[in-house]
C-alpha cells in the first residue's frame, strides 16, 4: 500500500528552501558543537572560535563563506595546498582558502592557530579567559582592525558565548526544544509527531530522522555519530545543502529497490525523482536506470515510476 503523506510535508519535501540570510542566533546554534569540539581538541575557547566565525563570515552570509566555506577569512599563505579563491581585501585579488565544508573551515582555523608560532603564547592561557585570548589575537595580528579584540569580546558578551567554554550549548542542541520525528503507524501512514530529540525511524528498512528548522547536515552528523559527507551521499544531495523543517534525512544508505508489496508509484503534480527517491528510501541513480530516464530528468504528472524491477 502506498504511503499516505500530509499535504504540508509533501510541499516541504517537494520544494527547495529559498536561500536567505541567517541570523547570528541561527549561526551560533548551527556551529556551536563544532566550536566546542575544536576547543576539546586544542584548548582554543569555543567562545573565541564562535565569535571569530560570526565576525569574519558575517554570520555565515558573506560571499567568501557561502561560496568557499571559508568562515575565518584565512588567506592562502605559502603552505596552503588546497583549493583557492580570489577576493579584494587589504589588497586587490588576494588569495583565500576554499574548503569542502564549513566543518573543514573550523578545523583548519584550529590548525592555523596551533601551528603558527605567532599564536603560541595564547595556548598558555586558560580556555575560559576569552578576554585575554581576544587581546592576544589582536596583538598577534590576526586581523588589521584596531578594535578587533573589542569586537570579539562584544560578540561574546552580547550573545553569552562564554557558556560554550563550559560546554553549555544553546537550544535546540541542548535538548530543550522539540524536534519532529518520523513514525510509521499501523496503517502504514507516514506521519510527523513532536519529540525531544532526533529519534531514528525506518523507511524501506532504512534508518532516517526528520530535520527541524535550523538543522544542518553537520549538526545532525555530530549528534548521530556520522560524517557530514555521509549524509550528503545517503540523501543524494550536493555539498552545502541545508535540510528544511520536516525534511526526511536518511542516516544510512538507501536501498536499490522497495519491498515486493510496492512495485510502482504514480507521479503527482510537483513531484521530482529525488522526492520519490526520498519518499520510498530508494537510491536515486538506480531509480533513474530502472525507468530508462537520464540523470536530472523529471517525471510527468500521471507517469508510472517503477520502484523495483518490472515484472
Amino acid at each position: 500500500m502506498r504511503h499516505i503523506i500530509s499535504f504540508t510535508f509533501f510541499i516541504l519535501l517537494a520544494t527547495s528552501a529559498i536561500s536567505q540570510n541567517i541570523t547570528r542566533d541561527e549561526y551560533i546554534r548551527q556551529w556551536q558543537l563544532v566550536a566546542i569540539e575544536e576547543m576539546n581538541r586544542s584548548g582554543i575557547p569555543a567562545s573565541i572560535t564562535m565569535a571569530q566565525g560570526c565576525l569574519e563570515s558575517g554570520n555565515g552570509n558573506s560571499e567568501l563563506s557561502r561560496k568557499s566555506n571559508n568562515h575565518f577569512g584565512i588567506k592562502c599563505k605559502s603552505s596552503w595546498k588546497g583549493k583557492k579563491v580570489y577576493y579584494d581585501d587589504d589588497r586587490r585579488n588576494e588569495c583565500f582558502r576554499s574548503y569542502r565544508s564549513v566543518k573543514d573551515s573550523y578545523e583548519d582555523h584550529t590548525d592555523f592557530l596551533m601551528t603558527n608560532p605567532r599564536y603560541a603564547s595564547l595556548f598558555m592561557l586558560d580556555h575560559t579567559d576569552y578576554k585575554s585570548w581576544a587581546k592576544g589575537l589582536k596583538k598577534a595580528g590576526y586581523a588589521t582592525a584596531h578594535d578587533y579584540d573589542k569586537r570579539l569580546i562584544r560578540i561574546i558578551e552580547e550573545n553569552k558565548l562564554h557558556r560554550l567554554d563550559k560546554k553549555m550549548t544553546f537550544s535546540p542542541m541542548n535538548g530543550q526544544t522539540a524536534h519532529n520525528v518520523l513514525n510509521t503507524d499501523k496503517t502504514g501512514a507516514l506521519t510527523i509527531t513532536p519529540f525531544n530529540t532526533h529519534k531514528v525511524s525506518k523507511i524501506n528498512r532504512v534508518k532516517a530522522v526528520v530535520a527541524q528548522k535550523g538543522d544542518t547536515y553537520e549538526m545532525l552528523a555530530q549528534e548521530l555519530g556520522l560524517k557530514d559527507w555521509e549524509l550528503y551521499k545517503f540523501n543524494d544531495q550536493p555539498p552545502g545543502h541545508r535540510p528544511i523543517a520536516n525534511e526526511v534525512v536518511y542516516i544510512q544508505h538507501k536501498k536499490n529497490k522497495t519491498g515486493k508489496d510496492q512495485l510502482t508509484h504514480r507521479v503527482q503534480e510537483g513531484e521530482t525523482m529525488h522526492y520519490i527517491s526520498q519518499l520510498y528510501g530508494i537510491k536515486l541513480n538506480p531509480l533513474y536506470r530502472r525507468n530508462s530516464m537520464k540523470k536530472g530528468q523529471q517525471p510527468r504528472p500521471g507517469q508510472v515510476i517503477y520502484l523495483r524491477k518490472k515484472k
Side-chain angles (χ1 to χ4, degrees):
M1 182 176 68
R2 180 184 171 181
H3 291 299
I4 300 171
I5 194 164
S6 71
F7 176 76
T8 301
F9 180 60
F10 169 81
I11 294 298
L12 288 171
L13 188 58
T15 58
S16 299
I18 299 174
S19 177
Q20 56 184 351
N21 286 351
I22 62 173
T23 65
R24 176 162 292 173
D25 184 62
E26 289 173 330
Y27 181 82
I28 291 168
R29 293 168 198 266
Q30 284 182 36
W31 302 112
Q32 58 186 340
L33 291 184
V34 179
I36 291 173
E37 185 178 275
E38 291 306 298
M39 177 178 68
N40 292 339
R41 181 165 75 94
S42 66
I44 301 170
S47 60
I48 284 291
T49 298
M50 184 58 67
Q52 285 193 282
C54 290
L55 182 59
E56 299 291 347
S57 74
N59 306 315
N61 297 309
S62 70
E63 185 176 359
L64 180 63
S65 61
R66 283 184 180 273
K67 293 186 176 181
S68 307
N69 289 320
N70 188 332
H71 281 229
F72 296 91
I74 299 180
K75 297 178 181 178
C76 294
K77 308 297 182 183
S78 59
S79 60
W80 179 245
K81 305 301 182 184
K83 291 184 178 180
K84 304 173 183 178
V85 291
Y86 296 86
Y87 288 94
D88 294 342
D89 190 47
D90 296 326
R91 295 186 296 275
R92 288 178 59 83
N93 207 36
E94 290 195 87
C95 182
F96 287 85
R97 302 181 182 188
S98 178
Y99 304 98
R100 182 179 62 90
S101 69
V102 177
K103 192 171 188 295
D104 285 349
S105 176
Y106 272 74
E107 291 174 351
D108 188 55
H109 168 262
T110 297
D111 294 341
F112 179 78
L113 295 182
M114 290 178 68
T115 59
N116 196 321
R118 70 163 68 179
Y119 302 112
S121 62
L122 295 178
F123 291 89
M124 302 297 292
L125 300 171
D126 191 275
H127 75 276
T128 62
D129 189 1
Y130 63 85
K131 291 184 178 179
S132 294
W133 269 87
K135 293 174 182 177
L137 286 169
K138 178 190 176 300
K139 184 176 180 180
Y142 188 94
T144 56
H146 70 281
D147 61 344
Y148 188 71
D149 55 333
K150 294 182 175 63
R151 293 186 189 184
L152 293 181
I153 292 171
R154 183 163 57 249
I155 291 172
I156 290 171
E157 295 182 344
E158 286 179 352
N159 296 277
K160 297 181 172 60
L161 297 183
H162 45 77
R163 287 167 51 99
L164 301 179
D165 298 336
K166 298 179 181 180
K167 302 181 182 180
M168 298 170 61
T169 59
F170 300 88
S171 62
M173 295 309 295
N174 61 7
Q176 296 178 358
T177 300
H179 283 67
N180 293 311
V181 178
L182 183 71
N183 290 308
T184 303
D185 63 22
K186 293 181 180 179
T187 66
L190 197 64
T191 59
I192 298 174
T193 55
F195 202 78
N196 62 356
T197 187
H198 287 102
K199 183 180 178 181
V200 178
S201 297
K202 291 185 177 181
I203 301 175
N204 193 26
R205 297 169 287 116
V206 183
K207 293 181 180 179
V209 297
V210 174
Q212 183 191 11
K213 181 180 179 181
D215 279 348
T216 65
Y217 278 177
E218 287 78 10
M219 287 170 59
L220 291 170
Q222 286 185 76
E223 181 178 326
L224 298 165
L226 298 167
K227 301 293 185 181
D228 55 343
W229 63 264
E230 290 181 301
L231 294 184
Y232 289 116
K233 184 175 182 180
F234 296 160
N235 293 276
D236 297 299
Q237 294 288 11
H241 170 77
R242 288 183 61 188
I244 58 178
N246 301 335
E247 180 176 331
V248 171
V249 178
Y250 288 97
I251 60 175
Q252 61 182 182
H253 286 291
K254 291 180 285 188
K255 303 295 183 181
N256 287 324
K257 58 185 178 181
T258 55
K260 294 181 180 180
D261 61 337
Q262 188 68 58
L263 174 62
T264 64
H265 170 89
R266 187 172 294 277
V267 180
Q268 297 183 22
E269 187 71 36
E271 292 183 341
T272 65
M273 291 295 280
H274 184 268
Y275 169 79
I276 297 169
S277 166
Q278 295 292 95
L279 179 61
Y280 292 101
I282 311 171
K283 292 179 181 178
L284 186 55
N285 287 336
L287 190 62
Y288 275 121
R289 291 194 296 269
R290 186 174 301 120
N291 290 276
S292 301
M293 296 173 65
K294 295 180 180 179
K295 189 174 181 179
Q297 183 180 351
Q298 299 306 333
R300 305 180 307 277
Q303 180 177 343
V304 173
I305 296 296
Y306 285 88
L307 307 175
R308 53 184 295 119
K309 189 176 180 181
K310 302 176 186 179
K311 293 183 179 179

